[in-house]
Amino acid sequence: MAILPEVKKHYGRLKFFINGEWIESKSNNCFENTNPATGDVIAEVPVATEAEVEAAINSAWNAFKKWSNIPFRDRADYINRLRAKFDEHHEELSRILSQDHGRGIDDARGTIDRCIENIESASGAMYSLYKGEHVEQLATGIDCYLMWEPVGVFLILTPGNIPMHAWSSFVPYALACGCPVIVAPSWQCPVASEAMFKIADEVGFPPGVLNLLHVGTNFELNSRIISDSRVAGVGFIGSTAVGRELFELCGRLGKRSSINGNGKNHIVVAPDGNLDAAANYLLRGCFGMTGQRCLGSDNVAVIGNIYDDLKDKFLQAAKAMKVGFGLDETSEMGPLTTLSNKKKVENFIEKGLNEGAKLILDGRELKVKGYENGYFLGPSIFEGVSPSMEIAKEESFGPVSNLIRADSLEQVIEWINTNTEFGHSACLITESGKNARKFIRECNVGNVGINAGIPQPYAFFPLGSKRQSFFGVAKSRMDSVRMFLDQKTVTLRWV
């Protein structure tokens, strides 16, 4: 296996996509985007001006009247062509994602697969929901039916950790439902976001249906868009802190929202679990995508006397992981997405040491030859972690694992339900159907895995987060159609 070539070394000054055209921004406020494996600048990114924000809103609003009224089968054809374009450009999108985000090429290819699944799911939603419901002769001479109608323009805010997957978790569904979008991606992965829009542009959507702006860290621009009366709501994946602010804003304004925030996820290994398989699940669950996965875990609760055996297997497997450039097909883990993210994880590790946890594998010592300026950290493993420690309550969002000794499954379920405010995911490694059923029924989280390290649901299931991991009227993916569509009932009397 060789190091794959980058699609481009440098993507120049990025443009906005407004009203079906690629626009050179007039902004003098720009920031640089880097390749996290090398630290090299790969793009300059302008921050939208007020006039450009207004142009995007106006474009989407004008498009709504037309897009929501085109024949059903014509809109379905656009969505199916979008799926075909993602498939056609699969490898190109994968390499751009790896270069911009840092994840390994296998993870990147898997991401494009997930995007295609979301587009397929959006197409399927059209054929199921748009049929509505109908009751004939409800009473003498009276018929009644239910229809679904597009709500309006939506702002979609995508995060730096899953820029493409988050896009596909909202945008295809909005378009399928007849709702134009304005996408404002995270400052961390703007090249990946532009790449998706270029692919979508090949489909030939009507002007204004898709709009792209970059706002950098000027988050007031997002509030400005949401506050506009022509915008119906927002789809967001990011931090709980920002999500709460958006949810409060939407509440005051009467806007619809799907707000997906942080988690503090757990993988639990029961005494009857397969330890070899468990070690592999832990590698993927704790260190996959360099720990920057929404459904990744950093708390590993080990029940009973298997602790030492599991620790040894996990430690040896983690030490053997190859960390390197994502486009090196032999790499198993890439860099953190930004230098600031790397520093946050280093601070998390320092906090754990100050709290008295023992670092049995220190990823801060890693050096990747030829990539000395990259934002790399190797896998780090703590032991001696207690549930009362802050590192057991806060999300590391990096390649860090906390080994926690547990006495019983009941004890671990209590930790999952009460030790943090989040309710994103939890996994159990077991051979016991009784224990698996107990875990599924009693864990107050939205995504449960049994004999899995990442409880990733297929696209036609929602991402079922709970508690402070989610706010809003509908979850992402298939469930988001409940945000993009509204119900209307019709009662007819002809007799």
Side-chain angles (χ1 to χ4, degrees), residues 309-358:
D309 287 344
L310 178 69
K311 181 185 78 172
D312 290 344
K313 290 178 182 293
F314 182 35
L315 183 60
Q316 294 309 310
K319 286 180 177 179
M321 289 188 78
K322 180 179 177 181
V323 181
F325 184 26
L327 289 177
D328 181 346
E329 292 187 287
T330 65
S331 294
E332 297 173 278
M333 192 174 88
L336 278 299
T337 300
T338 66
L339 182 59
S340 61
N341 288 357
K342 178 185 176 184
K343 291 178 178 178
K344 286 178 183 178
V345 178
E346 290 172 331
N347 291 338
F348 182 93
I349 294 172
E350 194 63 34
K351 179 185 290 187
L353 292 171
N354 291 337
E355 289 188 293
K358 181 181 179 182

Side-chain angles (χ1 to χ4, degrees), residues 113-308:
D113 288 341
R114 304 292 86 75
C115 290
I116 291 172
E117 290 165 6
N118 266 317
I119 299 169
E120 291 171 345
S121 178
S123 176
M126 296 183 69
Y127 291 101
S128 58
L129 278 175
Y130 264 81
K131 289 188 296 184
E133 299 175 18
H134 180 260
V135 178
E136 187 176 348
Q137 195 68 353
L138 180 67
T140 302
I142 297 176
D143 303 333
C144 192
Y145 68 89
L146 170 72
M147 55 192 292
W148 295 87
E149 295 184 328
V151 172
V153 174
F154 279 82
L155 172 64
I156 307 299
L157 302 174
T158 57
N161 67 314
I162 53 168
M164 291 186 172
H165 196 181
W167 187 95
S168 74
S169 295
F170 287 117
V171 173
Y173 299 97
L175 302 184
C177 291
C179 298
V181 296
I182 302 166
V183 179
S186 167
W187 61 271
Q188 297 181 33
C189 293
V191 171
S193 300
E194 183 180 271
M196 286 186 296
F197 266 82
K198 287 185 174 179
I199 301 307
D201 187 26
E202 293 184 14
V203 175
F205 286 97
V209 171
L210 283 163
N211 301 275
L212 169 67
L213 293 173
H214 294 290
V215 302
T217 56
N218 185 1
F219 303 126
E220 287 300 316
L221 292 177
N222 293 332
S223 298
R224 154 81 174 86
I225 297 171
I226 295 171
S227 300
D228 193 285
S229 62
R230 295 165 290 180
V231 176
V234 60
F236 169 86
I237 299 176
S239 72
T240 291
V242 174
R244 282 196 191 105
E245 294 179 5
L246 290 172
F247 186 58
E248 290 171 2
L249 177 61
C250 288
R252 289 198 304 272
L253 298 172
K255 303 295 180 84
R256 295 182 168 217
S257 63
S258 175
I259 307 290
N260 301 265
N262 292 106
K264 183 63 176 180
N265 305 325
H266 295 69
I267 299 177
V268 183
V269 185
D272 64 341
N274 182 316
L275 298 192
D276 290 323
N280 183 57
Y281 294 142
L282 294 181
L283 286 185
R284 287 185 52 76
C286 299
F287 307 136
M289 268 175 49
T290 322
Q292 299 170 114
R293 181 181 266 127
C294 300
L295 291 171
S297 299
D298 41 26
N299 279 354
V300 178
V302 187
I303 301 172
N305 59 9
I306 61 168
Y307 178 88
D308 288 333

